[in-house]
Amino acid sequence: MSQMNRFVLIRQLAAARLKQYRWQSVVMTFLGTAFLAWGLLPGMAFARAETPTAPSTSIQPYLDKVIERVSEFRLDNGIKFIVLERHKAPVVSFVTYADVGGVDEPDGKTGVAHFLEHLAFKGTTRIGTKDYQAEKPLLERLDQLSAQIQAAIAAGKQAEVAQLQAEFTKVEAQAKELAKQNELGRIVEQSGGVGLNAATSADATVYFYSFPSNKLELWMSLESERFLEPVFREFYKEKDVILEERRLRTDNSPIGKMIEAFLDASFTAHPYKRPVIGYDKDIRNLTRQDVQQFFDTHYVPAELTMAVVGDVDAAQVKQLAQTYFGRYQAKPKPPEVALVEPQQQETRQVTLELQSQPWYLEGYHRPAIKSPDNVVYDIIGRLLSDGRTSRLYKSLVEQKQVALSAQGFSGFPGNKYPNLMLLYALTAPGHTVEEVATALSGEVELLKTQPVSDQELERVKTQARAELLRSLNSNSGMARSLVEYDVKTGSWRNLFKELEAIAAVTPGDIKRVAQATFTPQNRTIGRLLSKGS
C-alpha cells in the first residue's frame, strides 16, 4: 500500500501544459502526506476553484445538528472512538488514526513509520497465511540470513555471500508458498468494502476504508486484529518496493532532491527536516525487528483514535468496540518529540543545478496548528496563492510574466509542530529565478505594509468556508477531519469552530502576522537551476 500508489507521480513538464501544472501535488507526493487527499487541510492553502457559499451564519443550524449527532468514548485501554450517525445511505466510513509519523522515528531509522504502514496490509497470524506455525520459522530464518549476508558483504566474503543468498532465495520462496497475498484486501472487497488504503505523513499514519453499514462488526474484527497480532511478512520484498519509491520520488527527481535539501536547510534540529520515506541508507539497514520495535513502542492504545461516520448506531459501535478493541492491553504512551527548532537568525539558502525547469522557493517558519493565528496563516496563504485571482498568480504569471505558475501553502511539511509557510514559482522561459524572487518578495512586502481590502478578504474567506463545508459532505471526509482535529487540536469540536475563526480574521490580523513572519532572518531560499544554464 505505497504512498506513491495514492498520489500523482512527478510528471515531465511539457511546454504546452506548463501553465496548468500544479506543483503542490508534487510537493505533497514527495512528503507522502495523506492530508492532500482528504480535502481538508488545516493551516494549508491550495489552488481551488472559487466556489461561493452562503454566509457562515446560515449554515450554523446545520452544523449544530451535526454536532448533536457526534458522540465519543474512550475504552479502558485508552483507544478513543468518535462516532457520527448519518443515515442518508447504508454506508459507513472508518478511519484509524495512529498518532505516529516520520517525526517519531529514531535517528538512523528514518522511513520506519512508512515501512510499517506498508506491512500493516500483510495480515496477521490468521489473515494472510495458510499455516502460520509453519510460516513463522521461515520468516525468522530469513531475518537470520539477511543479517549473515550483510556481515559477509562487510567482510568481503563473496563466496559466502553467494551461498547465503541462494539459501535466502530458497527460504523466501517457501515462505511465499505459505502466504496468502493481499488476503485482507480480498476480504474487504468481497464484502463490499471500498477505498482500502493508508498514508504516512510527518505527523501521523492513517488507515481508512468504507463498508456497507451491515458490515460494521466485520470492520471491528478485521481492524482490531490487524493491530493486535500483525505479522510483518514479505518484509524484504517490500523493502525493494520502498527503495524504488525513493528512487522515483527523490533520487531521480530534481524537484524531490530540491525539497529534501530545502527541508534540511530550513530545519536544523526538528525532525521535520527528514524525508518521510526515509534516507536510502536507513531504509536499506532497517530490519524486521526495527519495525516490530517501532510498532510495539508507538502503536499503543492511547495513540489510536478511530472515527466511524455513517449509517450506524452509536450504542452498537461502543458495544462492538469494547468486544473487539477492548482486547488490547493498555501500555504507556511514548514521549512526544522533545526537540524544538531554534529560532532562525539569518536567511538560509540552498541552490541545486539539475536537469530541470528552474524553480524558486521561499519558506518562513510559523507556529503549529494550535496557534491562535493558525487560520490567519491559512488566509494569508489563500490571498497569495489560491487560484487565478490570487496575488502571486495575477502578479508573477499574468502581469510581470516572470513565472508560469506561482503558489504556496501553510503547514509544510506538517502542522502538529511549528512548521513552514512555503511559497514557490516555476520560472518562465527567458526569465531568471532572481526575477521571480524579486517579484515574489514584492507581493510579500505588500501584505506587510498595505491593509488587505475588505472585498478581497471577504472573497478569500468565502473560498475558505466553501472548501471547509465541501470537505464535510462525504462520510470519509468528515471522518478524517474529525479525527485529525481531535488529535492535533485536542477536540473534534474545533473543526466546527473553524467557520467562526475564518469570519473573525481582520485586515489588521493579516498585516500583524505578515510583519512578524515575512522577515529576512526567518526565511529559507531554495533555487533549482537548470544544469548548464
Side-chain angles (χ1 to χ4, degrees):
M1 286 293 170
S2 154
Q3 296 167 12
M4 295 298 289
N5 290 338
R6 291 183 295 278
F7 296 98
V8 180
L9 295 176
I10 295 173
R11 294 167 288 186
Q12 295 297 320
L13 298 176
R17 300 178 62 188
L18 284 173
K19 289 188 178 181
Q20 286 74 42
Y21 187 77
R22 303 228 183 273
W23 191 55
Q24 70 269 23
S25 66
V26 177
V27 175
M28 302 314 288
T29 296
F30 169 77
L31 292 173
T33 180
F35 306 136
L36 179 58
W38 289 8
L40 177 64
L41 296 155
M44 298 186 185
F46 297 92
R48 301 278 188 179
E50 296 175 20
T51 304
T53 186
S56 60
T57 53
S58 66
I59 200 70
Q60 196 58 48
Y62 163 76
L63 294 180
D64 290 339
K65 290 182 180 179
V66 172
I67 293 171
E68 289 175 1
R69 296 198 300 270
V70 179
S71 61
E72 61 181 305
F73 60 88
R74 190 179 294 274
L75 301 180
D76 292 341
N77 56 26
I79 298 178
K80 184 173 182 177
F81 277 79
I82 303 170
V83 184
L84 170 57
E85 294 189 33
R86 272 182 164 177
H87 301 292
K88 295 180 179 179
V91 293
V92 57
S93 292
F94 306 92
V95 172
T96 297
Y97 189 104
D99 191 16
V100 52
V103 296
D104 300 292
E105 296 165 341
D107 289 338
K109 300 188 186 300
T110 60
V112 67
H114 171 234
F115 207 141
L116 197 159
E117 176 228 310
H118 277 237
L119 297 175
F121 290 85
K122 301 301 181 181
T124 69
T125 56
R126 285 176 288 276
I127 297 173
T129 185
K130 298 175 184 176
D131 182 353
Y132 182 63
Q133 294 307 312
E135 181 188 25
K136 182 179 179 181
L138 295 176
L139 298 179
E140 293 172 347
R141 180 57 180 157
L142 287 175
D143 295 337
Q144 295 170 357
L145 288 168
S146 177
Q148 292 171 2
I149 289 170
Q150 296 305 313
I153 291 174
K157 300 178 180 179
Q158 297 302 320
E160 185 176 342
V161 169
Q163 182 181 359
L164 290 168
Q165 187 62 56
E167 184 179 355
F168 183 94
T169 301
K170 178 181 178 181
V171 175
E172 190 173 40
Q174 293 172 342
K176 182 178 179 180
E177 286 297 315
L178 292 172
K180 294 182 179 180
Q181 292 188 349
N182 196 32
E183 185 175 25
L184 175 65
R186 286 198 301 272
I187 294 172
V188 170
E189 183 178 355
Q190 290 168 5
S191 301
V194 295
L196 175 65
N197 224 317
T200 307
S201 71
D203 293 336
T205 309
V206 190
Y207 305 83
F208 46 89
Y209 58 102
S210 299
F211 258 147
S213 54
N214 62 357
K215 300 298 182 182
L216 172 63
E217 186 166 6
L218 177 60
W219 177 83
M220 290 283 183
S221 175
L222 291 174
E223 197 74 351
S224 62
E225 184 168 325
R226 185 189 209 179
F227 301 111
L228 182 66
E229 295 180 327
V231 175
F232 300 135
R233 53 177 60 88
E234 298 182 22
F235 174 86
Y236 301 97
K237 174 184 174 183
E238 212 60 35
K239 179 181 286 192
D240 291 338
V241 170
I242 293 171
L243 286 169
E244 180 61 21
E245 279 189 38
R246 179 177 167 86
R247 282 190 288 271
L248 286 170
R249 183 181 306 174
T250 305
D251 300 332
N252 295 335
S253 164
I255 295 173
K257 288 181 178 179
M258 181 71 246
I259 291 297
E260 187 164 288
F262 185 83
L263 282 174
D264 187 65
S266 299
F267 295 93
T268 61
H270 195 272
Y272 272 159
K273 73 190 280 86
R274 307 182 309 203
V276 172
I277 196 165
Y279 296 113
D280 183 276
K281 180 180 179 181
D282 289 352
I283 298 169
R284 293 181 185 278
N285 289 333
L286 285 175
T287 66
R288 206 160 63 101
Q289 288 73 25
D290 291 330
V291 176
Q292 185 68 55
Q293 183 176 354
F294 190 77
F295 173 83
D296 293 340
T297 300
H298 292 280
Y299 277 67
V300 300
E303 296 284 70
L304 299 178
T305 304
M306 315 284 181
V308 181
V309 176
D311 185 26
V312 294
D313 176 75
Q316 184 186 24
V317 172
K318 185 173 183 179
Q319 178 186 2
L320 292 172
Q322 290 172 335
T323 298
Y324 288 97
F325 287 93
R327 297 180 293 168
Y328 288 46
Q329 295 296 314
K331 295 180 181 179
K333 289 183 66 172
E336 290 260 342
V337 173
L339 288 170
V340 176
E341 182 66 22
Q343 185 173 355
Q344 191 168 328
Q345 301 297 328
E346 61 182 2
T347 299
R348 298 171 186 159
Q349 302 187 42
V350 57
T351 301
L352 297 181
E353 290 191 27
L354 300 168
Q355 296 292 340
S356 169
Q357 296 285 337
W359 288 89
Y360 178 78
L361 302 83
E362 281 190 0
Y364 296 86
H365 290 276
R366 53 144 294 180
I369 188 174
K370 288 185 178 181
S371 166
D373 287 325
N374 184 63
V375 173
V376 181
Y377 281 101
D378 177 45
I379 296 298
I380 289 176
R382 292 175 182 276
L383 283 167
L384 287 173
S385 63
D386 204 4
R388 296 197 174 200
T389 58
S390 67
R391 292 189 173 194
L392 291 184
Y393 187 90
K394 289 170 68 175
S395 175
L396 277 67
V397 178
E398 291 186 346
Q399 297 171 8
K400 297 183 175 67
Q401 298 184 1
V402 297
L404 294 173
S405 66
Q407 296 174 9
F409 55 91
S410 188
F412 177 76
N415 59 8
K416 182 178 179 181
Y417 303 97
N419 52 80
L420 298 176
M421 172 168 279
L422 181 69
L423 307 173
Y424 50 90
L426 171 62
T427 305
H431 294 274
T432 67
V433 292
E434 298 307 325
E435 291 178 272
V436 171
T438 300
L440 192 153
S441 295
E443 293 303 315
V444 168
E445 285 300 314
L446 284 177
L447 282 179
K448 296 165 61 177
T449 57
Q450 297 183 13
V452 177
S453 70
D454 292 337
Q455 181 180 6
E456 184 180 18
L457 183 56
E458 186 55 39
R459 173 181 58 80
V460 172
K461 287 182 179 182
T462 298
Q463 293 171 354
R465 288 193 297 263
E467 186 171 318
L468 174 61
L469 293 172
R470 282 197 302 269
S471 74
L472 306 182
N473 282 339
S474 69
N475 289 341
S476 58
M478 179 68 83
R480 292 162 184 168
S481 299
L482 285 171
V483 71
E484 185 187 4
Y485 267 81
D486 195 78
V487 174
K488 286 188 173 181
T489 73
S491 174
W492 55 265
R493 291 175 176 83
N494 291 324
L495 169 62
F496 300 100
K497 296 177 181 179
E498 195 84 348
L499 290 176
E500 297 176 8
I502 292 170
V505 176
T506 68
D509 291 327
I510 301 295
K511 189 174 180 180
R512 170 180 56 82
V513 171
Q515 289 176 343
T517 303
F518 298 127
T519 64
Q521 63 268 26
N522 191 40
R523 179 177 61 185
T524 300
I525 294 172
R527 299 180 183 87
L528 178 56
L529 307 178
S530 294
K531 195 170 185 178
S533 64

